[in-house]
Amino acid sequence: MKKLIAILCLLVLAGCSDAYASINNAKETVFTVGSTTVTRGDLYNYMKAQDGGYTAVNTAMENILNANVEVTEDMNKSVEDTLAMYESLLGENLESYIMSMGYASLEAFKNDMLLSEQATALTAKYVETNFELLCGTYAPKKVKIAVFADQETALKAQTELKNGADFAEVSETYKSTGSKDSIIFTTQSSYPTAVTYAVSELTEGMVSDVVTNEKSFYVVVMEKTNALDFKDEAVNTIAAISKVSNDALMSSIEAAGFHIYDKNLYDAIAKNYPDYLSE
């Protein structure tokens, strides 16, 4: 199926004229049922229509990833480690489980995981290249956030933190439910609006007022505001934002020049995967 659809595409998707791709020997009979004859052309057009552009898009993605990201030993090890984890949980049921997810074989599953590793690397590369611009959009900061059930406890913890007490010790003493470790906070972080605002107002070394969403009470300690001081962590955090990973792939698709030369396939992709089509 992939080979049939792949011949319709050249890397990247763009506009097309009202043309229709065909295959050689389209009138050659594949099988008959009673008086009905099904030819190579019939089968090809049916598969193309049913596919909805999925194979074309995924073939394009695979080609783009392979062209832009070299598979490393670490990637292969990550795939093998993940597979070993699945095997430890599923034992002899591993292969049937993989096939139940729609994979034709164990190798197909491994290939998909490897592509995921490559996609992660592609996104990280995109973030590195556009680091300053993305920092302007997502405003990464290195912070520690303590979370408490009531205001009285939060105020006690805040006082100690302002006096220079160790964050981990204060968190332990006052039973904070937040992480004792630093986190990279961005505009996409899953915290109440009041916390996002508090982070935006703090300079390095400052401790915030107690802020609340009426369910929990938060105290923020600002560690670093310059993303260059924690660049690797900032890159990884920004790369994990779904819009950024999508933008990274779209940027690579646009650079590659993927054109669709079949009107039916173009229409299917326009309907099901519009982001893949350049303006």
Side-chain angles (χ1 to χ4, degrees):
M1 176 63 174
K2 185 178 290 187
K3 290 181 180 178
L4 283 173
I5 299 298
I7 65 172
L8 299 176
C9 317
L10 296 177
L11 288 170
V12 165
L13 295 115
C16 72
S17 61
D18 288 354
Y20 299 89
S22 60
I23 58 173
N24 293 330
N25 303 321
K27 294 183 179 181
E28 181 180 319
T29 299
V30 176
F31 62 87
T32 59
V33 179
S35 61
T36 301
T37 298
V38 176
T39 65
R40 282 167 52 87
D42 294 331
L43 188 59
Y44 171 74
N45 289 326
Y46 173 79
M47 295 172 73
K48 184 175 64 173
Q50 293 300 310
D51 183 71
Y54 174 84
T55 300
V57 165
N58 279 273
T59 301
M61 286 175 58
E62 186 172 344
N63 278 276
I64 287 167
L65 290 172
N66 288 332
N68 287 277
V69 181
E70 183 179 355
V71 175
T72 65
E73 289 184 9
D74 286 343
M75 291 180 188
N76 282 318
K77 184 178 184 303
S78 178
V79 169
E80 292 300 330
D81 288 347
T82 301
L83 196 61
M85 182 271 291
Y86 274 110
E87 192 167 14
S88 69
L89 293 172
L90 298 169
E92 61 183 18
N93 295 318
L94 174 62
E95 191 166 350
S96 60
Y97 174 76
I98 287 172
M99 295 186 73
S100 74
M101 292 192 295
Y103 292 98
S105 65
L106 180 61
E107 283 303 312
F109 179 61
K110 290 172 65 175
N111 183 64
D112 204 42
M113 287 195 293
L114 191 57
L115 288 173
S116 179
E117 293 284 334
Q118 289 176 278
T120 298
L122 180 72
T123 304
K125 183 177 178 181
Y126 172 82
V127 174
E128 288 270 6
T129 301
N130 299 279
F131 188 68
E132 185 176 349
L133 177 64
L134 291 169
C135 284
T137 301
Y138 296 107
K141 308 284 177 62
K142 192 168 188 177
V143 303
K144 289 179 178 176
I145 302 177
V147 187
F148 304 99
D150 62 86
Q151 186 175 30
E152 182 180 357
T153 303
L155 286 168
K156 290 178 181 178
Q158 182 213 30
T159 299
E160 293 204 22
L161 289 169
K162 284 193 169 185
N163 289 333
D166 179 74
F167 183 87
E169 291 180 3
V170 171
S171 294
E172 183 70 27
T173 299
Y174 293 101
K175 305 293 190 283
S176 167
T177 57
S179 172
K180 295 180 178 64
D181 299 321
S182 302
I183 66 168
I184 307 305
F185 192 100
T186 74
T187 56
Q188 300 300 300
S189 296
S190 299
Y191 281 88
T193 302
V195 176
T196 300
Y197 180 76
V199 169
S200 71
E201 293 293 298
L202 294 175
T203 57
E204 289 189 14
M206 286 184 65
V207 178
S208 74
D209 293 335
V210 174
V211 296
T212 182
N213 64 347
E214 299 182 357
K215 293 181 180 179
S216 298
F217 297 82
Y218 302 82
V219 179
V220 181
V221 177
M222 178 61 68
E223 293 193 296
K224 293 185 181 295
T225 59
N226 187 345
L228 291 174
D229 293 336
F230 51 94
K231 185 174 181 179
D232 288 347
E233 294 167 285
V235 166
N236 290 336
T237 301
I238 294 172
I241 297 171
S242 59
K243 184 180 186 306
V244 175
S245 59
N246 186 66
D247 288 347
L249 183 58
M250 293 306 105
S251 176
S252 296
I253 285 175
E254 184 176 354
F258 180 36
H259 295 268
I260 293 294
Y261 293 105
D262 182 272
K263 180 65 166 56
N264 290 336
L265 184 59
Y266 179 88
D267 289 344
I269 293 172
K271 177 182 178 180
N272 298 315
Y273 307 95
D275 288 348
Y276 285 76
L277 297 173
S278 60
E279 297 296 333

